[in-house]
Amino acid sequence: EESGGIGFQDYLYERDGLLSGLLVMEMMAMRGQSFEEILSGVEKEFGKLYYVRSDVNYPNELKSKLFQSLSQHPSKELEKQKIKDIKSQDGMKFILEDDSWLLFRLSGTEPILRIYSEATSLALAEALVKGGKELAFGLAP
């Protein structure tokens, strides 16, 4: 189980996928709409987003080097877009001008690096993850 997900205030400290599903079903019943209709309305109002994730084997000895390098020498741009913000609360997250993002997270229990992206096009989301892999493995000796 990952630390990401939907939590509910005044309920549990853990994420609850079953409750999330039940609340979506309740919303569908109350609105008289299918999930696809609700999603279409959200995308019409806020735009469509594409999410890509890749889990890669990553040597333990490179883990500290990766985050040290990313924080001390951050890129100025990714995929021809300027980086407008960098957050380090839960990994290392680079937020681009158009609010697309690239996130690096290390597993605490196995030699795995998780690379996530979200963008307004699938091509950009995939390119961000590919570039993230190149950054991560560019540190290898």
Side-chain angles (χ1 to χ4, degrees), residues 46-53 78 81 93-103 115-129:
F46 299 103
K48 189 168 184 166
L49 295 174
Y50 296 85
Y51 172 81
V52 174
R53 170 183 165 171
L78 294 169
Q81 286 197 46
K93 186 175 189 178
F94 297 88
I95 302 171
L96 307 181
E97 290 177 301
D98 73 346
D99 290 326
S100 297
W101 50 262
L102 173 68
L103 170 66
I115 304 172
Y116 307 81
S117 71
E118 187 175 83
T120 54
S121 76
L122 182 57
L124 178 56
E126 289 173 339
L128 286 168
V129 167

Side-chain angles (χ1 to χ4, degrees), residues 53-115:
R53 170 183 165 171
S54 181
D55 293 2
V56 295
N57 288 322
Y58 200 70
N60 284 323
E61 60 270 12
L62 291 180
K63 286 182 173 183
S64 63
K65 188 176 181 183
L66 173 64
F67 281 82
Q68 182 180 14
S69 177
L70 290 174
S71 62
Q72 291 179 355
H73 308 289
S75 299
K76 300 275 189 259
E77 67 177 33
L78 294 169
E79 296 304 315
K80 300 178 184 174
Q81 286 197 46
K82 289 183 182 176
I83 295 171
K84 73 175 186 179
D85 197 10
I86 300 174
K87 297 184 178 193
S88 60
Q89 294 95 321
D90 188 26
M92 185 70 69
K93 186 175 189 178
F94 297 88
I95 302 171
L96 307 181
E97 290 177 301
D98 73 346
D99 290 326
S100 297
W101 50 262
L102 173 68
L103 170 66
F104 296 90
R105 289 190 71 231
L106 292 166
S107 170
T109 58
E110 53 191 341
I112 299 288
L113 171 64
R114 293 182 174 90
I115 304 172

Side-chain angles (χ1 to χ4, degrees), residues 7-23:
F8 301 96
Q9 185 176 353
D10 300 326
Y11 176 62
L12 289 174
Y13 293 115
E14 301 296 326
R15 307 307 188 217
D16 189 333
L18 185 57
L19 178 61
S20 297
L22 290 169
L23 289 172

